[in-house]
Amino acid sequence: MNPLTLDCPVLGLDTDFPNTLYVLKHEPSGKYGCYKHDGVHGLACFSTQLAAAEFGSYIELSGMLSLEVKFDEARQIAQDRPLPIVSIMLLDDMDSPQIHYVR
């Protein structure tokens, strides 16, 4: 069996994840903004509230709120999401997201 190699960086090896992140949440439904990159699904995270709001403008669900969370909180939110969510993704550069696996 051949190992799978991802083209995007995996955090924790040589990149620091910001301690404070912004995620998007739809309060009425409890849903969070997520993203898929190269077959990997993850909780969408941003280092600025503006970047999170811009991403939220593409989601076809009105009322998305930008929440400031700590890194550990973001990890827990992602872990609490059902599969296929397996990571948190720092999407400051959407063409090259930084991925941190949570399971």
Side-chain angles (χ1 to χ4, degrees):
M1 181 161 59
N2 293 331
L4 175 67
T5 302
L6 297 175
D7 293 332
C8 51
V10 177
L11 287 178
L13 299 178
D14 63 353
T15 307
D16 291 329
F17 222 81
N19 190 42
T20 300
L21 299 164
Y22 293 89
V23 298
L24 294 169
K25 183 177 183 183
H26 184 252
E27 285 290 340
S29 67
K31 294 181 180 182
Y32 286 85
C34 294
Y35 190 71
K36 178 182 171 186
H37 180 77
D38 285 344
V40 178
H41 296 261
L43 176 70
C45 298
F46 304 87
S47 61
T48 67
Q49 189 172 20
L50 179 60
E54 286 179 20
F55 180 79
S57 70
Y58 296 106
I59 298 175
E60 295 180 11
L61 191 60
S62 63
M64 294 296 285
L65 300 175
S66 175
L67 303 176
E68 182 180 316
V69 297
K70 297 294 181 192
F71 174 78
D72 289 337
E73 292 173 283
R75 287 189 84 246
Q76 189 61 52
I77 292 167
Q79 287 175 340
D80 292 343
R81 301 298 97 218
L83 289 175
I85 303 301
V86 295
S87 68
I88 57 176
M89 292 188 177
L90 183 62
L91 297 174
D92 291 343
D93 179 356
M94 300 218 16
D95 292 327
S96 183
Q98 295 179 337
I99 298 175
H100 174 84
Y101 287 91
V102 297
R103 57 175 143 202

